[in-house]
C-alpha cells in the first residue's frame, strides 16, 4: 500500500499502477522529505516530479506545503492514476484549511517536457525516479535539460538502483550527498553555478 506519509493529506491512500512502476517505499520517501524539510524546501516551493509513476513523491510534496507540483508521466494508464491521486490529495488539502496549491499532470516523456519547458518558469525542487532500464545517457540528457529551469538554490534528487553508477552531472549541477537505503540510492545535487 502506498500512502501520503505526512502533511495536510497525511495517511491518504494512493492508487499504484499495476505494472511498469516501482513505488518509492515509505522509509525512503520519509528520508527524502526529512532532507528537503531540513533544507527548507517544503513550504511554498515549486516541485517537478519527473517519471511520476503513481505521483507519490510530488503529491507528498504537495501535502507538505509545496505551492505547485508538475507530475510528468508518459504512460497513459499511469498518468490517469496520477491524475486521480492528485485530485484526492488536492481535495484533502482543500478540506484542511491550507492554501490551495496547484498540481498539473503532464502525459509526455520527461525529455520532451524538459526540452519544451519555458526558461522563465523556474523550479525549486526536481525529483527524478526513473525506471531501472533508463540508460545513463538518457538520464544525463534529462539532467542537462533540467539545469536551466532550476532556481539558483534548487535541490535535485535522483533515485536509482544501488547497482547504478553515479549520474553524470552537467555543468551547473554538483553532487552534495549520496545515501543508500538497501537496494535504493538517493543522489542529491544542487546548483553549482548559473546556467544560461
Amino acid at each position: 500500500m502506498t500512502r501520503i506519509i505526512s502533511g495536510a493529506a497525511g495517511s491518504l491512500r494512493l492508487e499504484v499502477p499495476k505494472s511498469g512502476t516501482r513505488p518509492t517505499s515509505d522509509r525512503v520517501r520519509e528520508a527524502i522529505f526529512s532532507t528537503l524539510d531540513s533544507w527548507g524546501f517544503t513550504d511554498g516551493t515549486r516541485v517537478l516530479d519527473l517519471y511520476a509513476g503513481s505521483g507519490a513523491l510530488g503529491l507528498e510534496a504537495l501535502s507538505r506545503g509545496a505551492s505547485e507540483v508538475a507530475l510528468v508521466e508518459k504512460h497513459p494508464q499511469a498518468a490517469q492514476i496520477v491524475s486521480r491521486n492528485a485530485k484526492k490529495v488536492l481535495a484533502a488539502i482543500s478540506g484542511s484549511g491550507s492554501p490551495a496549491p496547484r498540481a498539473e499532470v503532464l502525459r509526455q516523456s520527461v525529455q520532451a517536457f524538459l526540452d519544451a519547458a519555458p526558461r522563465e518558469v523556474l523550479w525549486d525542487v526536481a525529483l527524478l525516479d526513473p525506471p531501472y532500464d533508463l540508460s545513463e545517457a538518457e538520464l544525463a540528457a534529462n539532467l542537462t535539460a533540467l539545469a536551466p529551469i532550476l532556481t539558483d538554490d534548487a535541490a535535485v534528487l535522483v533515485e536509482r538502483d544501488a547497482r547504478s553508477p553515479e549520474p553524470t552531472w552537467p555543468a551547473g549541477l554538483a553532487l552534495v550527498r549520496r545515501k543508500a537505503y538497501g537496494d535504493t540510492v538517493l543522489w542529491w545535487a544542487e546548483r553549482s553555478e548559473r546556467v544560461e
Side-chain angles (χ1 to χ4, degrees):
M1 178 186 76
T2 299
R3 63 185 177 87
I4 299 294
I5 298 168
S6 186
S11 77
L12 185 71
R13 292 178 71 160
L14 300 176
E15 287 182 67
V16 176
K18 288 183 174 55
S19 63
T21 62
R22 178 183 32 80
T24 301
S25 71
D26 284 0
R27 175 178 173 239
V28 174
R29 262 189 301 133
E30 186 56 54
I32 290 167
F33 285 94
S34 290
T35 298
L36 288 172
D37 189 47
S38 72
W39 290 351
F41 279 107
T42 48
D43 288 332
T45 55
R46 301 183 76 239
V47 178
L48 282 175
D49 184 352
L50 305 174
Y51 302 99
S54 68
L57 288 176
L59 297 175
E60 185 75 38
L62 212 60
S63 178
R64 293 177 184 236
S67 63
E68 182 177 352
V69 176
L71 303 118
V72 182
E73 175 55 58
K74 74 174 183 178
H75 292 98
Q77 291 170 327
Q80 288 174 356
I81 288 172
V82 175
S83 292
R84 288 195 297 268
N85 285 338
K87 285 177 186 169
K88 287 196 295 192
V89 170
L90 287 169
I93 293 170
S94 69
S96 72
S98 298
R102 287 187 50 211
E104 184 176 11
V105 178
L106 299 136
R107 200 185 103 199
Q108 63 186 128
S109 76
V110 166
Q111 194 64 47
F113 168 80
L114 292 171
D115 288 344
R119 295 304 188 242
E120 66 275 6
V121 177
L122 300 179
W123 299 88
D124 302 302
V125 177
L127 307 168
L128 292 86
D129 182 10
Y132 283 160
D133 62 357
L134 187 81
S135 74
E136 297 308 312
E138 288 174 285
L139 179 59
N142 290 170
L143 293 169
T144 299
L146 172 66
I149 60 169
L150 296 172
T151 59
D152 286 341
D153 61 348
V156 176
L157 167 74
V158 177
E159 181 179 337
R160 297 290 271 165
D161 177 75
R163 295 178 297 276
S164 300
E166 178 179 344
T168 302
W169 303 107
L173 289 177
L175 179 70
V176 292
R177 179 185 294 179
R178 176 196 182 277
K179 180 76 176 166
Y181 298 87
D183 292 336
T184 300
V185 175
L186 303 180
W187 302 91
W188 290 98
E190 65 182 9
R191 292 297 296 270
S192 59
E193 61 191 56
R194 183 78 187 141
V195 177
E196 299 301 331

